[in-house]
Amino acid sequence: MRWDNLRLAGTGDDEPAVPLFARGAVTRTFDTPEFKGMTFYEIRARSVINKVPGASQVPFQYTINPYRGCGHRCVYCFARKSHEYLDLDAGADFDSKVVVKVNAPELTRQELAAPRWGGHHVAMGTNVDCYQRAEGRYGLMRGILSALRDAANPFSILTKGTLILRDLDLLTEAAQVTDVSANVSVGFVDPAAWRSVEPGTPAPARRLETCATLNDHGIPCGVLMAPILPYLTDSPAQLDRTVKEIAEAGATHIAPIVLHLRPGAREWWLAWLGREHPRLVPRYLELYGRGAYAPRAYQERVVAQVRELAERHGVGRATPARRLPRRPPATRSDPEQLTLL
């Protein structure tokens, strides 16, 4: 099954399936303010490169997720449901109980070298952020990036974190031999909204500075403008301010996405909304009463507004940063490319 890779390495096939933490996992807490109330479960996973189910409507086939659960604590996070597969809840547990695949770097190197591997594009940060605060302590991404660089394997990274800049050396080295790209996630720049719904993330302005720095170093970086929150961050003035700041950061492109509320995230979001903005609950139930997505007409209107603003403010028109010279890759080439919707 899809979650088998989270079982502990070395668990015998004849043993009954048990929850992840029933045996063998190393449990840690850290006595530092940034990790207050958090528990980390260190496991040795069986595999780390995941094939995306064919039914998923995403522009990539393979992912690497060195963590499960996320200290960003974004109220709306669509990945919350995934924690229930680990016998944890999609709410507070997702925010405070993080699974760490401590052998992710060595597994990445092994799986990229396997004869069956086809040199496919690998997307990272697509489920939970690979540059969340825990990465500052565990440092798994350096080993993963080193393996991808050495295999000349194309990859992309999506993050709300600024810690990606720690690895600029590896990113620029990889960009000399394969295709490397990044996106930062900034759905809005309003400080009050940020503190309320993304309390564990760096400020939007810092994320946009990260975007600018990556582009300055030859790593193409755009902005996933997600999520746009109905009735909270979707006013014409708010959209204009956000797109303007994205343009000023020199983003290569912008991809707007309206909030979607899948099971797990839906319940956590509506509970938060009831506490913080109770008057909006009926309006959200009207918008999302029939499923996880806002009505198509609403989505199309917002996306059209963002596209018009992007044209007005010149997103993508900035002079491209000087690209690093490309060395011929030592291994596979011409992989499929990641294209944002």
Side-chain angles (χ1 to χ4, degrees):
M1 65 183 282
R2 187 179 174 193
W3 302 96
D4 276 353
N5 67 324
L6 291 186
R7 294 182 185 173
L8 300 179
T11 299
D13 291 337
D14 57 340
E15 297 180 20
V18 297
L20 171 66
F21 315 120
R23 62 179 183 275
V26 176
T27 304
R28 298 191 191 278
T29 58
F30 300 110
D31 189 21
T32 53
E34 65 268 26
F35 296 128
K36 182 179 180 181
M38 297 187 70
T39 303
F40 298 90
Y41 300 94
E42 299 175 0
I43 70 163
R44 294 188 63 82
R46 289 180 171 179
S47 64
V48 72
I49 300 180
N50 309 298
K51 185 171 175 59
V52 178
S56 298
Q57 297 182 352
V58 292
F60 46 82
Q61 291 182 290
Y62 294 90
T63 64
I64 291 176
N65 294 295
Y67 303 97
R68 291 286 184 184
C70 188
H72 283 341
R73 307 198 307 278
C74 300
V75 180
Y76 52 75
C77 183
F78 72 90
R80 288 182 174 277
K81 181 72 174 177
S82 65
H83 242 41
E84 295 181 3
Y85 291 91
L86 307 177
D87 292 335
L88 296 170
D89 70 57
D93 283 352
F94 182 85
D95 295 339
S96 63
K97 297 181 178 179
V98 176
V99 179
V100 184
K101 303 176 191 177
V102 293
N103 60 335
E106 62 192 78
L107 280 178
T108 300
R109 191 168 292 276
Q110 291 171 13
E111 293 174 21
L112 291 175
R116 65 182 179 276
W117 177 248
H120 307 285
H121 181 102
V122 173
M124 292 174 282
T126 59
N127 191 51
V128 299
D129 203 322
C130 53
Y131 281 108
Q132 59 179 286
R133 287 180 180 176
E135 171 61 16
R137 179 169 290 271
Y138 285 98
L140 301 180
M141 285 298 293
R142 287 197 65 80
I144 292 169
L145 293 178
S146 294
L148 288 162
R149 175 203 61 195
D150 294 346
N153 200 97
F155 64 89
S156 60
I157 299 171
L158 170 65
T159 183
K160 280 189 176 78
T162 57
L163 190 56
I164 188 174
L165 297 182
R166 178 202 63 189
D167 296 337
L168 262 177
D169 58 333
L170 293 173
L171 293 170
T172 54
E173 289 170 9
Q176 294 177 12
V177 297
T178 191
D179 290 309
V180 177
S181 62
N183 287 278
V184 296
S185 177
V186 180
F188 43 85
V189 295
D190 177 73
W194 160 61
R195 293 188 184 96
S196 186
V197 303
E198 300 174 343
T201 65
R206 291 185 60 204
R207 288 178 243 162
L208 292 177
E209 289 171 4
T210 298
C211 175
T213 301
L214 289 169
N215 279 310
D216 287 345
H217 285 78
I219 307 301
C221 185
V223 171
L224 190 68
M225 188 173 165
I228 297 169
L229 307 174
Y231 310 119
L232 292 170
T233 65
D234 65 343
S235 72
Q238 288 170 309
L239 294 177
D240 182 75
R241 179 184 173 190
T242 301
V243 174
K244 182 175 184 292
E245 293 193 21
I246 289 171
E248 290 172 349
T252 59
H253 57 268
I254 185 171
I257 299 178
V258 173
L259 173 72
H260 54 268
L261 296 175
R262 299 178 188 175
R266 179 187 182 93
E267 293 81 4
W268 196 244
W269 174 263
L270 289 176
W272 172 86
L273 201 68
R275 294 191 303 270
E276 302 296 327
H277 302 280
R279 63 182 180 82
L280 292 181
V281 171
R283 302 177 77 177
Y284 265 81
L285 292 177
E286 181 180 359
L287 268 184
Y288 294 92
R290 296 184 178 180
Y293 297 90
R296 181 177 296 274
Y298 173 85
Q299 294 186 59
E300 290 177 347
R301 175 170 59 82
V302 171
V303 169
Q305 285 180 279
V306 172
R307 286 176 176 166
E308 181 182 340
L309 290 167
E311 178 68 22
R312 182 190 309 169
H313 291 297
V315 174
R317 288 189 203 151
T319 302
R322 181 177 63 85
R323 298 301 304 273
L324 297 171
R326 176 72 54 82
R327 295 198 304 263
T331 57
R332 309 167 183 93
S333 61
D334 296 330
E336 58 265 29
Q337 300 298 304
L338 173 64
T339 309
L340 285 178
L341 298 176

